[in-house]
Amino acid sequence: MYLKTTSPQFLSFGRVTDLPSRFDSQRHQLEDKSLQFLNKYNCPVRIEVLEGIGILVLDTGNGKLEQFVIHRAPIVDAGTPYVVIPLTQSVLLEVSFQTKNEVVREIIEVPGNRKYEPIKSSFEVTDIYSYYYNVKGKDYSFNGESHFYWELTYVDTGAVVMTVDGTQYTLEAQEMMIFFPGQFHKQQIEGNNSSSYLTVMFDMNVDWHSISHLKNRVVECTHELYDLMNKFIRQTTIFEADNNTYTRDLVVITFKEIILNMIRIDENKEEKDMVINPIQSQFENELLNEINNYIQKNIYEPISVEDICNHFAISRSTLQSLFKKHVNEPPKKYINELKMGQAQRLILEGNHSITEVALKLGFSSIHYFSRKFKTRFGLAPSEYLQSVYKISDDKIKGQDL
C-alpha cells in the first residue's frame, strides 16, 4: 500500500503546501510508467497534480527508493533525486522551481527495469455456468465427460474417487480439485459409503502456465479455503432466493477468491509452516486439541463459549485469539460447524428423524436448526434427506423445515 505525500514519512524529503507557487510554473503531461532515471535539482521543486494520479519516487540516499502518492502539493527538497510516474493512464503536472537563480538539473540513471501500474486484477472469473450440491449414496458412478470450460469439485463429507485422464485420485472431506478444459474426468463412490460434494462449472481468463501446479492435484483446504467454500454455498443460496445483479457479483467474487487461494496454496503453506515461538505454538496446539476433544465429547449438549472458558479456566479474549490464530474463525462458529457436520452424518445414517437429530444435538428449536442447516448446506434437512434416499414426500411430510 502506497503512502501519501501528506504522510509523516515524507517529511524526510520535503513538505506539502496548499498555497500557490510564488514562482513561474510549467505544465507537463506524463504517460511513461517505466522508471529509468531520477531528476536531481539544485533547488526545491513544487509539484501539483492537476489531472490523474501520480506517484512520487524518491531516492533515500542509500540506493533505496521510497514511493508516495501525490496528495496536495509536495515540495521536494533541493538535492533529493525524484521522478513522477503516472498511475492512471496519464497525469498532468504543474511544476515550479522554488528559486530565482539558475536551475541546474542532474539526471541519475536507475538500474533495472521497473514499471508502475495501478492495483488491478490479473485474471477474471468470466462466467459461472452452473453449480450444484450433490449428495450421492453407495455404488454411485458417473461415466465421465470432458468439456471446453473449467470445473471444480469440492468434497464436503465422505470421499469421491475421481479418474482424470486415466489416473485415479481420492478426494476426501475438505479436499478439492480443478479439471482443466479438455480433461476427461469421471467419478464414483466406493462400497456402501456416501458423500456430499459441490461441483462448479465456470470459465476464467487466466494464464494457464500460472496455475499449472494445480493440474491433476488434490488440494487440501486451508482454514481460509474452508471458510470461503462455506461462504460460496451461502451466497448461492441467497442468490437463488434473491436473483439480482449484486447477489450475482457476490457469488462470482467469492468464487474468484477461492481460485486465488488455490493458486497461492503453496505460498500459504509456507506462511502456515512458519513458527515464531515453537514452545508457545506447542502449548497453543495442545490446548486447542483439548478444547476440540471437549467439544466433540459434548457435541450433543448446548455448548457455549462460556462453558469452554469456565472448563479450561481461560478468558473469553484468550479463547477468541486462540481460534482466530489457529482456526481462523470464532469458537461459536466452529462449534456450530461441528454440530452441522454431525447433523449431516446422523441424517445420512437414516436412523433418526430430523426432529430427533435437532434435539439430539442440543437445539431447542427445530426451526433454528433447520435455518442453520440450510445456511450451511444449501438444502433444508428434509430436502437433504430426500436427495440422499430418494424417499417419498409422504414419508418426510411434516419434517420439511
Side-chain angles (χ1 to χ4, degrees), residues 106-270:
E106 180 182 349
I107 299 177
I108 302 173
E109 290 189 12
V110 177
N113 183 18
R114 185 182 302 184
K115 191 172 183 178
Y116 287 79
E117 295 286 355
I119 299 172
K120 58 183 181 181
S121 181
S122 60
F123 88 100
E124 294 296 336
V125 173
T126 57
D127 298 275
I128 295 180
Y129 298 119
S130 64
Y131 55 85
Y132 40 89
Y133 192 87
N134 306 274
V135 183
K136 301 298 181 182
K138 64 179 182 177
D139 297 326
Y140 165 79
S141 66
F142 172 61
N143 291 331
E145 63 181 359
S146 65
H147 37 65
F148 63 87
Y149 45 83
W150 301 79
E151 182 176 328
L152 178 144
T153 292
Y154 163 76
V155 176
D156 198 14
T157 62
V160 180
V161 177
M162 308 295 305
T163 303
V164 186
D165 291 337
T167 302
Q168 277 195 351
Y169 304 86
T170 299
L171 274 68
E172 298 182 344
Q174 282 76 65
E175 291 183 339
M176 60 178 67
M177 196 171 189
I178 282 185
F179 309 123
F180 282 49
Q183 278 196 299
F184 182 82
H185 53 282
K186 59 182 182 179
Q187 56 194 217
Q188 66 184 70
I189 308 294
E190 292 188 333
N192 294 320
N193 300 313
S194 61
S195 178
S196 57
Y197 56 96
L198 176 73
T199 297
V200 185
M201 316 285 198
F202 65 100
D203 255 333
M204 58 181 174
N205 55 358
V206 67
D207 177 9
W208 285 27
H209 178 73
S210 68
I211 64 169
S212 60
H213 60 294
L214 294 179
K215 193 171 186 179
N216 302 327
R217 176 176 177 180
V218 176
V219 175
E220 181 182 356
C221 278
T222 60
H223 291 304
E224 187 170 5
L225 263 174
Y226 178 73
D227 286 342
L228 285 170
M229 292 306 304
N230 290 329
K231 181 180 178 182
F232 179 75
I233 293 171
R234 288 194 298 272
Q235 293 293 358
T236 56
T237 303
I238 295 170
F239 165 67
E240 289 163 7
D242 183 18
N243 183 352
N244 64 49
T245 301
Y246 300 111
T247 53
R248 287 171 180 264
D249 290 336
L250 284 171
V251 169
V252 173
I253 289 169
T254 304
F255 189 72
K256 180 179 177 180
E257 194 173 355
I258 289 169
I259 300 299
L260 282 171
N261 274 269
M262 290 185 72
I263 293 172
R264 297 186 63 244
I265 193 73
D266 293 325
E267 298 173 35
N268 293 339
K269 184 178 185 303
E270 289 174 6

Side-chain angles (χ1 to χ4, degrees), residues 83-124:
V83 71
V84 176
I85 304 289
L87 282 181
T88 48
Q89 185 173 354
S90 64
V91 64
L92 178 62
L93 298 180
E94 186 171 83
V95 178
S96 60
F97 301 104
Q98 307 295 290
T99 182
K100 293 183 179 181
N101 300 322
E102 180 184 4
V103 176
V104 179
R105 176 193 181 193
E106 180 182 349
I107 299 177
I108 302 173
E109 290 189 12
V110 177
N113 183 18
R114 185 182 302 184
K115 191 172 183 178
Y116 287 79
E117 295 286 355
I119 299 172
K120 58 183 181 181
S121 181
S122 60
F123 88 100
E124 294 296 336

Side-chain angles (χ1 to χ4, degrees), residues 278 280-290 322 326:
Q280 181 182 354
S281 178
Q282 182 178 356
F283 169 77
E284 291 177 351
N285 283 327
E286 288 177 354
L287 177 58
L288 193 62
N289 285 335
E290 290 181 16
L322 183 69
H326 294 278

